[in-house]
Amino acid sequence: QVQLVESGGGVVQAGGSLRLSCVVSGKDLRIISMGWDRQAPGKERELVATITSGRSAEYSDSVKGRFTISKDSAQNTVYLQMNSLKPEDTAVYYCKVGILSLWRINDYWGQGTEVTVSS
C-alpha cells in the first residue's frame, strides 16, 4: 500500500516563503514522477509542479519563477519551495506520485496540506 505524508503548510504573509515536503512509503516502489497539485476554495484542482525520475521539472505558468520542486530519491521525498507567495496561492496542496506497476503508471495523492497567504 502506498502512503504519502505531506507537511510544511501554514499561514504566511504575502511575499513570504514556505517549504512543503512529502514522504512516500510502500513496498517495491517504482516511482516515475512526483509532484504537487493544489485546489483553491471554489476552484478545480490544478497542477502546480512535476518532477520526473530524470529530474526534469515542469511548472504551471502561475508559479513559474517563484516555486521550485526538488526531490530526494533515496528518501522517496519531494519538496516544493514556494517563494514570493501571493494570496492567490492560498489552497490545499496535494502531493502526487506516479508509480509503475506492471505495465501501467498509477497516480496516488496525499491527504493535502493547507497553505494560506494573507495580504
Side-chain angles (χ1 to χ4, degrees):
Q1 189 171 355
V2 179
Q3 289 189 317
L4 290 78
V5 179
E6 300 122 327
S7 61
V11 180
V12 64
Q13 287 192 330
S17 298
L18 282 174
R19 189 191 196 208
L20 305 183
S21 301
C22 174
V23 180
V24 184
S25 61
K27 278 189 70 175
D28 301 323
L29 295 176
R30 299 169 71 181
I31 296 175
I32 302 301
S33 65
M34 306 179 87
W36 296 88
D37 293 345
R38 69 183 180 187
Q39 187 164 19
K43 294 190 176 181
E44 292 187 356
R45 191 176 293 196
E46 63 172 348
L47 170 72
V48 176
T50 300
I51 187 166
T52 66
S53 56
R55 299 188 185 277
S56 173
E58 293 185 358
Y59 300 90
S60 69
D61 288 341
S62 60
V63 307
K64 210 172 287 185
R66 299 186 298 121
F67 291 10
T68 302
I69 190 170
S70 61
K71 64 174 184 169
D72 181 338
S73 298
Q75 301 295 324
N76 289 336
T77 301
V78 62
Y79 305 97
L80 186 68
Q81 178 66 43
M82 305 186 293
N83 298 328
S84 302
L85 282 160
K86 305 175 181 180
E88 51 264 43
D89 294 318
T90 295
V92 178
Y93 284 71
Y94 297 92
C95 176
K96 182 173 73 174
V97 61
I99 293 176
L100 181 64
S101 176
L102 297 178
W103 296 280
R104 60 181 289 176
I105 298 173
N106 297 312
D107 289 331
Y108 298 86
W109 283 267
Q111 293 296 310
T113 184
E114 194 162 355
V115 171
T116 301
V117 184
S118 61
S119 56

